[in-house]
Amino acid sequence: MLYFLIIYLVVVNIIAIALTIYDKRASVLGLWRVRESTLMLFSFLGGSVLMYLIMRIIHHKTRHPLFMVGIPIIFVLQIIFTLVVLYAVGYIG
């Protein structure tokens, strides 16, 4: 089970990073952009930490509160959810 979770998180984070880098490049070149809702979805699905770090590194969407505040909030909620689930199934507590 843990193996599948790790695979899932790796895939989601790779997609989140690729979308973020593509959107930055598209913004510079005037190409089709990735919807903000799509970026937030991949953050919500588990790509929040690496997406946030990549955004900071490449200076993409750093002036948008939706991303600079929203993604860390999503990450904190993911941590809380994970702890609640681990407690409920008896892994902690």
Side-chain angles (χ1 to χ4, degrees), residues 20-63:
T20 304
I21 291 171
Y22 172 82
D23 192 51
K24 171 66 175 190
R25 184 152 173 80
S27 71
V28 171
L29 298 176
L31 301 174
W32 173 83
R33 302 283 305 274
V34 177
R35 291 179 180 220
E36 289 185 351
S37 60
T38 302
L39 293 171
M40 292 304 287
L41 174 64
F42 276 91
S43 174
F44 178 77
L45 292 175
S48 57
V49 174
L50 290 182
M51 180 180 282
Y52 183 79
L53 290 174
I54 290 297
M55 285 181 169
R56 299 293 291 198
I57 290 168
I58 66 174
H59 304 287
H60 187 54
K61 302 227 181 255
T62 56
R63 294 183 181 175

Side-chain angles (χ1 to χ4, degrees), residues 73-92:
I73 289 172
I74 289 172
F75 177 63
V76 168
L77 293 174
Q78 289 169 337
I79 294 293
I80 292 169
F81 175 77
T82 301
L83 292 174
V84 167
V85 168
L86 290 175
Y87 179 78
V89 297
Y91 281 116
I92 60 173

